[in-house]
Amino acid sequence: MPGSSRMPISLRDGLNSVKKSRHGNPIQFLNVELLKNIIFFYFLLRWTRRSFWKLKGRGLVGTLVELYTDARRIAYGWFLQAPGVRTKVKAQVDEARANLQKKLVPANQTRYLSLPKQGWSDDDLRAELERLANLDHTRWEDGFVSGAVYHGEDALLQLQTEAYGKFTVANPIHPDVFPAVRKMEAEVVAMVLSLFNAPASAAGVSTSGGTESILMACLSARQKAYVERGVTEPEMILPETAHTAFRKACEYFKIKMQLVPCPAPSYQVDTRRVARLVNANTILLVGSAPNFPHGIMDDIAALSKIALRRKIPLHVDCCLGSFLVPFLDKAGFETQPFDFRLRGVTSISCDTHKYGFAPKGNSTTLYRTAELRAYQYFVIPDWSGGVYASPGFAGSRPGALIAGCWTSMMSVGEEGYLDACVQIVGTTKKIAERIRDSPVLAAELEVMGRPLVSVVAFTARNLNIYDIADAMTQRGWHLNSLQEPPAMHVAVTMPITKVWEKLTDDLEAVIEDEREKERVRIAQGKGARGKAMGDSAALYGVAGSLPNKSIVVQLASGFLDTLYKA
């Protein structure tokens, strides 16, 4: 009919009701639509910004490679969870754990799993302690261990023991009860600040080790960015070779980690990539002086310029360099700018228990200003137990360790540290030169980068570097195996300075032996690699070949579990 609607009555009534509701409450309708649009555009903007930062920092090719790597890792993880595969993997991991337990927890040892009914006599305790001290172990006393024990001379050990004895019960949480410990701790920090050319405004804290020092610096940077810039999705830019404590900090403090390659031949961090990765969420740049794996000092001066230009804190990890890098110039060795004389450097970590020769459990975190240090403090003003304040993770701390550190530094002194630098760095250069000049070593090994401090890292040209590492272990050496790329290193200590020639002699002999094994295998038609592999070759060979490292994580977790197996 003319004028009539072809729309069904029910639908027409529904539309009319919507129109009425719109006309009746237009503000409510607009608010809902506006809210939807705001939420949509917020997520769109957020995704676009993240994508832009990713492309800017990694480039198109780098972004695609990263996506491919992630996809491959996830797919391989699914494969490992397949019913048949998962069972087989579990059996192999359990077998590896059992073998590890046999090695670390010998069955023939007497175990004490509960308190003795009666306390032991002093003589019995001394006898048991002597037996424990003489358990079969790698002879660090003879200089056969890379790193680990950096001094070890009897005279200094005796002084440290006496310091321990005088302050066994001391706890710096009670400065009024133990004023001497407070004084010694403050002086330790002041002396380390002086070594690194800190300005008058600088401040610092002592910590339990390099990991805590790094964690504190990362926490300070995160808190600073949150308080001053409102950053809630913090990111940290660090070299791939930076100490793994930075990765721990990212996991603990929910900081996104941006890893930057350290390509050959320099093995320094690529500062151009660092600059491209900086964005509004960046809270900290990181450089090493030197890094642990290869002993290479990053270009801290270039990082400092980036930090100043972008107004971002820069942390320099000198935990390994500790009391060597400040003395390189005075000792007549090549060095690079690395400390507070670079205006962009805002914090430094330095282990006093490495080349500062203090007892284990001592390190420092240094800041350009006291305000930066305050960001790591923990203060609770309204606890029922009273006002609580601590400078770092720990509450109670062993004052005896602080006393041992202060005693070590005062005993060795500037001249002693300078002499140690001459011996240790000089030995490092001799080892590197021997590798480059020896016909046997030069034909097979290649020194990584230009080591300026105490670590010499090297790769193998033809042989499997992990077979070399295992063969050196069989000769009594405890060196460090590395990965990505496969390599090994020697961290020179005072004990090693006395036996470095034996180290390189054994290295030559091992390479000759491994070459002969290769020749025999090839002559027998078995290929260039034998089936039997030692611990290093097995672990790092597997780790390097897997796109998903979950199996390695299980093995490492098993190792940690074994440490607590009584």
Side-chain angles (χ1 to χ4, degrees):
M1 295 176 60
S4 65
S5 172
R6 298 179 181 272
M7 186 180 295
I9 294 175
S10 59
L11 183 57
R12 186 173 66 234
D13 292 343
L15 286 174
N16 288 334
S17 66
V18 170
K19 291 178 180 178
K20 290 178 181 178
S21 65
R22 284 188 179 182
H23 294 150
N25 194 357
I27 295 177
Q28 180 182 358
F29 174 76
L30 287 174
N31 284 345
V32 172
E33 290 299 314
L34 181 61
L35 182 61
K36 288 180 181 178
N37 289 334
I38 289 173
I39 293 173
F40 170 76
F41 282 111
Y42 169 76
F43 283 104
L44 179 63
L45 177 63
R46 186 174 177 180
W47 182 87
T48 303
R49 187 175 68 163
R50 286 184 174 182
S51 300
F52 171 76
W53 286 345
K54 170 77 77 173
L55 289 169
K56 173 178 172 289
R58 301 293 181 187
L60 179 59
V61 174
T63 301
L64 292 175
V65 169
E66 197 171 273
L67 289 173
Y68 168 75
T69 302
D70 290 342
R72 188 164 171 255
R73 174 178 52 81
I74 293 170
Y76 195 80
W78 289 341
F79 168 74
L80 292 176
Q81 293 302 313
V85 177
R86 181 172 54 193
T87 303
K88 188 173 182 179
V89 168
K90 185 179 184 304
Q92 292 177 344
V93 169
D94 289 344
E95 181 183 359
R97 285 187 170 192
N99 292 335
L100 185 63
Q101 184 169 316
K102 289 179 183 177
K103 183 177 181 180
L104 294 180
V105 191
N108 59 351
Q109 288 184 350
T110 303
R111 289 172 170 75
Y112 308 102
L113 305 180
S114 60
L115 286 171
K117 294 294 183 182
Q118 298 292 329
W120 288 16
S121 69
D122 292 352
D123 289 341
D124 287 343
L125 275 171
R126 290 190 181 97
E128 180 65 8
L129 288 171
E130 185 67 22
R131 187 189 69 80
L132 290 170
N134 289 298
L135 286 177
D136 187 33
H137 64 280
T138 305
R139 296 292 299 174
W140 66 262
E141 301 92 335
D142 300 330
F144 277 48
V145 177
S146 169
V149 180
Y150 294 83
H151 192 277
E153 294 294 330
D154 289 340
L156 184 58
L157 289 175
Q158 181 61 39
L159 272 175
Q160 292 170 348
T161 302
E162 291 178 21
Y164 264 66
K166 291 185 181 297
F167 294 94
T168 301
V169 300
N171 184 350
I173 202 172
H174 303 295
D176 52 338
V177 181
F178 306 106
V181 170
R182 186 218 65 79
K183 178 179 182 293
M184 287 187 287
E185 182 174 27
E187 290 174 355
V188 164
V189 172
M191 285 187 277
V192 181
L193 283 167
S194 174
L195 276 180
F196 287 87
N197 295 290
S201 61
V205 296
S206 64
T207 68
S208 62
T211 292
E212 186 182 354
S213 292
I214 289 170
L215 289 174
M216 290 294 93
C218 294
L219 177 63
S220 169
R222 191 197 71 170
Q223 296 302 93
K224 171 183 168 62
Y226 176 74
V227 171
E228 297 181 10
R229 295 193 283 131
V231 176
T232 57
E233 297 179 345
E235 298 184 12
M236 185 194 309
I237 303 174
L238 61 149
E240 288 181 341
T241 54
H243 195 278
T244 191
F246 290 101
R247 304 186 187 208
K248 181 183 284 190
C250 288
E251 184 168 325
Y252 281 6
F253 304 143
K254 306 304 178 187
I255 301 171
K256 184 177 180 180
M257 179 173 59
Q258 297 283 10
L259 291 176
V260 181
C262 302
S266 71
Y267 294 96
Q268 291 180 309
V269 67
D270 187 336
T271 55
R272 291 175 300 176
R273 294 197 184 190
V274 170
R276 290 203 302 267
L277 283 167
V278 174
N279 60 51
N281 284 335
T282 304
I283 64 163
L284 186 65
L285 306 182
V286 174
S288 305
N291 64 49
F292 171 82
H294 311 139
I296 302 299
M297 293 179 68
D298 288 319
D299 189 347
I300 307 299
L303 292 173
S304 174
K305 291 178 181 178
I306 298 171
L308 284 172
R309 186 169 66 249
R310 303 303 296 270
K311 298 181 180 179
I312 298 169
L314 167 62
H315 181 82
V316 179
D317 177 24
C318 289
C319 285
L320 181 57
S322 60
F323 281 34
L324 293 180
V325 284
F327 288 97
L328 286 175
D329 188 46
K330 289 182 181 179
F333 296 119
E334 179 185 355
T335 187
Q336 296 174 1
F338 64 91
D339 60 17
F340 285 115
R341 286 173 290 186
L342 294 171
R343 292 190 301 116
V345 174
T346 53
S347 58
I348 294 174
S349 48
C350 170
D351 279 359
T352 45
H353 69 196
K354 284 191 173 71
Y355 295 104
F357 306 140
K360 284 298 179 186
N362 281 289
S363 182
T364 55
T365 308
L366 315 175
Y367 295 100
R368 181 171 287 276
T369 66
E371 289 75 19
L372 287 170
R373 179 179 63 179
Y375 280 119
Q376 76 160 64
Y377 288 171
F378 180 79
V379 180
I380 292 295
D382 54 358
W383 178 41
S384 58
V387 177
Y388 180 89
S390 67
F393 285 143
S396 292
R397 293 179 292 138
L401 281 176
I402 294 169
C405 180
W406 183 89
T407 299
S408 303
M409 293 170 65
M410 297 299 285
S411 172
V412 177
E414 185 174 336
E415 290 186 3
Y417 287 119
L418 179 59
D419 180 64
C421 179
V422 170
Q423 293 186 58
I424 291 169
V425 178
T427 298
T428 305
K429 294 186 179 298
K430 290 175 184 176
I431 294 173
E433 289 169 4
R434 177 78 178 271
I435 292 174
R436 294 189 184 104
D437 296 341
S438 163
V440 174
L441 297 179
E444 187 55 50
L445 302 181
E446 181 179 359
V447 175
M448 302 179 71
R450 290 172 52 249
L452 300 182
V453 196
S454 61
V455 172
V456 181
F458 45 88
T459 58
R461 302 180 193 276
N462 303 300
L463 297 173
N464 187 310
I465 192 70
Y466 302 131
D467 286 340
I468 296 173
D470 287 324
M472 290 295 286
T473 299
Q474 292 172 6
R475 288 174 174 260
W477 294 94
H478 188 285
L479 308 181
N480 297 89
S481 295
L482 313 172
Q483 59 181 340
E484 297 182 6
M488 58 190 294
H489 86 211
V490 180
V492 178
T493 61
M494 289 299 288
I496 288 180
T497 61
K498 302 171 184 176
V499 295
W500 73 270
E501 289 175 299
K502 176 171 175 52
L503 169 65
T504 51
D505 288 344
D506 282 356
L507 201 52
E508 283 188 350
V510 162
I511 287 176
E512 291 282 22
D513 290 345
E514 291 300 317
R515 279 179 172 174
E516 182 59 28
K517 291 177 184 178
E518 293 284 274
R519 284 192 287 267
V520 171
R521 283 195 289 264
I522 293 172
Q524 294 175 346
K526 295 181 179 179
R529 280 298 313 275
K531 292 183 179 179
M533 294 192 297
D535 293 342
S536 295
L539 175 61
Y540 289 103
V542 169
S545 64
L546 296 177
N548 184 299
K549 310 295 184 185
S550 58
I551 295 177
V552 181
V553 171
Q554 292 180 54
L555 291 172
S557 297
F559 167 76
L560 295 177
D561 291 341
T562 304
L563 298 182
Y564 294 95
K565 178 69 176 177

